Amino acid sequence: MKLELTEKQYRRLLDMAYIGNWVLNSIRGDDRFRDYDEVESLLFGKAAGAGMGVLAEECEGEIVPSQAFIEGGIHEAIVDYENCVFFDVLAEDLARRDMEEEQADLDDQAELMRRIDEYLDEFECHGTDHILVVPED
């Protein structure tokens, strides 16, 4: 297979490969999806030929994203995504919990969305500052 990309497109592909592999493998420890590591290594292995050698380095015989790449802002994009997902999941979990405690109809999507939106508005204004965990006795 041959794929032709502009330099900008190739650079974006490196970002996407890194982000994708991070999402799939960053929490897996030694139980990584090695085939994704291989694809990432293959793509970063082409960096020098594309005039972007600074973005890749060799580590233990593999081509990996360089420290320059990793420290170049890619993790800000990952953090933005993680924050968004965190608040979305938390809002839905809290809304469902509230509805269960009140024995409300969990199939009422309009009510669920209303409650989710209330939590999201709160998180947008205050983050997690107003969340309080009360331990059970």
Side-chain angles (χ1 to χ4, degrees), residues 69-124:
F69 176 85
I70 292 169
E71 295 170 0
I74 195 68
H75 280 275
E76 282 84 2
I78 293 169
V79 167
D80 288 345
Y81 171 78
E82 289 173 340
N83 285 338
C84 182
V85 169
F86 169 76
F87 286 115
D88 285 349
V89 170
L90 182 59
E92 183 172 349
D93 284 352
L94 292 172
R96 287 183 182 279
R97 178 209 57 194
D98 294 349
M99 290 177 73
E100 284 178 6
E101 286 178 358
E102 296 169 17
Q103 297 181 343
D105 179 6
L106 289 172
D107 292 328
D108 185 348
Q109 289 298 305
E111 179 61 15
L112 177 62
M113 291 308 301
R114 185 190 68 73
R115 291 172 186 241
I116 289 171
D117 288 341
E118 283 181 4
Y119 277 113
L120 289 174
D121 290 345
E122 171 65 24
F123 298 149
E124 188 174 329

Side-chain angles (χ1 to χ4, degrees), residues 4-136:
E4 293 191 29
L5 302 169
T6 66
E7 286 184 17
K8 184 176 182 177
Q9 289 170 328
Y10 173 68
R11 180 64 177 84
R12 298 297 178 255
L13 182 61
L14 292 179
D15 289 346
M16 290 168 38
Y18 181 83
I19 291 168
N21 200 23
W22 174 266
V23 168
L24 289 168
N25 278 322
S26 67
I27 62 169
R28 298 189 61 82
D30 291 335
D31 189 29
R32 296 176 66 85
F33 293 116
R34 298 286 177 208
D35 49 341
Y36 287 92
D37 288 333
E38 291 170 10
V39 171
E40 181 186 73
S41 184
L42 175 71
L43 290 171
F44 276 85
K46 305 290 183 187
M52 300 179 204
V54 70
L55 301 179
E57 62 190 29
E58 188 172 333
C59 179
E60 298 179 14
E62 287 188 52
I63 304 296
V64 296
S66 68
Q67 280 305 115
F69 176 85
I70 292 169
E71 295 170 0
I74 195 68
H75 280 275
E76 282 84 2
I78 293 169
V79 167
D80 288 345
Y81 171 78
E82 289 173 340
N83 285 338
C84 182
V85 169
F86 169 76
F87 286 115
D88 285 349
V89 170
L90 182 59
E92 183 172 349
D93 284 352
L94 292 172
R96 287 183 182 279
R97 178 209 57 194
D98 294 349
M99 290 177 73
E100 284 178 6
E101 286 178 358
E102 296 169 17
Q103 297 181 343
D105 179 6
L106 289 172
D107 292 328
D108 185 348
Q109 289 298 305
E111 179 61 15
L112 177 62
M113 291 308 301
R114 185 190 68 73
R115 291 172 186 241
I116 289 171
D117 288 341
E118 283 181 4
Y119 277 113
L120 289 174
D121 290 345
E122 171 65 24
F123 298 149
E124 188 174 329
C125 291
H126 303 286
T128 58
D129 292 344
H130 293 167
I131 293 177
L132 176 66
V133 176
V134 180
E136 292 184 44

